């Protein structure tokens, strides 16, 4: 076992254990905080795969943005004072069986398919290459995503504030 | 055992299954959103793993960036809708909300 392997198994353990907590714990706030750990673990896995820029983006956008948004969602949509922050579950047994089967099939496909397994050369810092790709090959998608983000944020603001508009009318 | 492509793919498969499990079993709409985030992250791990081991250059990492941006937009819209539903129905349990208006 090299250091690489040990660190990989460490991050894999963090990711999977906290992901299991995310989907099984009754308390929705614990769930959100476990999601934080999961995202950190995935960020570590990105570093092991040589994607340094992506790891930092993961922490900044997921942990700094999306998770805070989810926590706002949790806090704004639950009766915290009257202890209603626990969340119910439905269809536990059929879901467990179905997901177990799905996992088995995926596992078999991943292991038995004959992938190319030797790693190829990627630059030590990927930021420059990613930037070049973003403004050459992928420039159209890049621009479209910029417009999409703007539309999404304006739409989110207007959906969440609809009630006040009705009051004005 | 030497860590290779299979290990990353299996982690992604486990995360994907857990995300599906979360989406199916939880009642709270915010929890369903967390399941979706798990699934998007598992897809991202696959993209980055194939960028490392396949012959595609860094395209996989660019696609993973796009997925993260889409996840941000999706979370903003979805939480706006969830807040609106909470204002209207006073709960966000996806098995109880079966009307489009009050």
């Amino acid at each position: 076992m090299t250091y690489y392997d040990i660190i990989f198994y460490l991050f894999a353990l963090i990711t999977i254990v906290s992901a299991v907590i995310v989907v099984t714990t009754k308390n929705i706030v614990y769930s959100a905080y476990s999601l934080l750990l999961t995202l950190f673990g995935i960020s570590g896995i990105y570093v092991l795969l040589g994607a340094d820029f992506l790891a930092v983006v993961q922490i900044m956008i997921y942990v700094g943005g999306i998770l805070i948004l989810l926590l706002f969602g949790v806090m704004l949509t639950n009766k915290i004072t009257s202890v209603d922050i626990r969340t119910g579950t439905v269809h536990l047994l059929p879901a467990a069986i179905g997901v177990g089967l799905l996992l088995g099939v995926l596992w078999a496909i991943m292991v038995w398919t004959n992938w190319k397994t030797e790693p190829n050369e990627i630059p030590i810092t990927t930021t420059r290459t990613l930037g070049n790709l973003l403004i050459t090959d992928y420039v159209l998608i890049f621009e479209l995503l910029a417009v999409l983000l703007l539309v999404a944020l304006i739409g989110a603001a207007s959906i969440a504030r609809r009630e006040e508009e009705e009051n004005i009318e | 055992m030497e860590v290779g492509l299979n290990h990353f793919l299996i982690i992604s498969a486990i995360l994907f299954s857990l995300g599906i499990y979360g989406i199916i079993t939880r009642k709270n709409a915010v929890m369903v959103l967390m399941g979706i985030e798990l699934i998007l992250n598992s897809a991202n791990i696959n993209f980055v793993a194939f960028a490392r081991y396949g012959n595609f250059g860094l395209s996989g990492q660019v696609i993973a960036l796009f997925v993260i941006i889409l996840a941000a937009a999706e979370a903003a819209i979805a939480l706006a809708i969830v807040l609106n539903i909470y204002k209207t129905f006073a709960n966000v349990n996806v098995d109880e909300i079966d009307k489009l208006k009050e």
Side-chain angles (χ1 to χ4, degrees):
Chain A
M1 293 258 285
T2 59
Y3 284 125
Y4 185 90
D5 295 359
I6 296 169
I7 294 171
F8 169 81
Y9 284 116
L10 189 70
F11 277 119
L13 196 71
I14 291 175
T15 307
I16 287 172
V17 168
S18 59
V20 169
I21 295 174
V22 168
V23 294
T24 53
T25 181
K26 288 276 183 213
N27 190 323
I28 188 167
V29 177
Y30 290 167
S31 206
Y33 285 124
S34 305
L35 190 63
L36 176 93
L37 261 184
T38 311
L39 295 173
F40 270 126
I42 291 171
S43 168
I45 287 174
Y46 287 167
V47 173
L48 288 178
L49 282 168
D52 50 352
F53 180 70
L54 212 55
V56 176
V57 167
Q58 166 94 1
I59 289 181
M60 277 175 60
I61 296 189
Y62 262 109
V63 180
I66 296 177
L67 197 70
I68 300 292
L69 216 59
L70 283 173
L71 271 175
F72 270 132
V74 171
M75 301 288 179
L76 286 174
T77 58
N78 279 284
K79 308 176 190 70
I80 298 176
T81 47
S82 61
V83 200
D84 198 16
I85 205 143
R86 295 178 183 282
T87 169
T89 51
V90 285
H91 317 307
L92 272 184
L93 191 64
I97 295 170
V99 166
L101 284 177
L102 176 71
L103 178 61
V105 170
L106 281 178
W107 193 302
I109 291 173
M110 298 298 189
V111 170
W112 285 338
T113 308
N114 199 10
W115 308 108
K116 170 182 182 293
T117 47
E118 65 271 21
N120 54 353
E121 284 301 311
I122 56 175
I124 294 296
T125 55
T126 55
T127 316
R128 173 188 290 265
T129 324
L130 282 181
N132 280 335
L133 276 177
L134 273 182
I135 56 169
T136 53
D137 288 0
Y138 295 94
V139 66
L140 180 63
I141 308 177
F142 182 68
E143 297 288 341
L144 283 177
L145 276 177
V147 176
L148 178 116
L149 260 187
L150 181 67
V151 172
L153 291 182
I154 294 175
S158 83
I159 289 174
R161 292 190 144 265
R162 185 173 292 159
E163 202 169 285
E164 291 185 11
E165 284 174 22
E166 284 165 6
N167 287 345
I168 294 170
E169 288 164 11
Chain B
M1 195 173 159
E2 187 88 358
V3 169
L5 176 62
N6 280 339
H7 292 71
F8 294 102
L9 294 183
I10 285 170
I11 283 196
S12 139
I14 294 174
L15 273 184
F16 182 82
S17 308
L18 285 174
I20 296 269
Y21 180 79
I23 288 180
I24 296 176
T25 57
R26 308 318 284 274
K27 279 184 177 181
N28 194 310
V30 182
M31 286 302 309
V32 174
L33 283 178
M34 288 188 204
I36 293 175
E37 300 296 337
L38 280 184
I39 288 181
L40 289 173
N41 271 295
S42 85
N44 262 351
I45 291 180
N46 269 1
F47 278 129
V48 180
F50 282 115
R52 178 91 169 89
Y53 287 94
N55 277 324
F56 314 111
L58 283 185
S59 294
Q61 294 195 15
V62 181
I63 306 288
L65 265 182
F66 292 157
V67 171
I68 291 179
I69 297 172
L70 281 178
E74 169 255 332
I77 293 283
L79 282 168
I81 292 174
V82 167
L83 285 185
N84 221 352
I85 287 176
Y86 186 70
K87 267 186 210 160
T88 313
F89 295 101
N91 73 18
V92 287
N93 289 347
V94 286
D95 59 335
E96 290 167 35
I97 298 162
D98 48 5
K99 298 185 191 67
L100 286 178
K101 55 181 290 190
E102 223 168 335

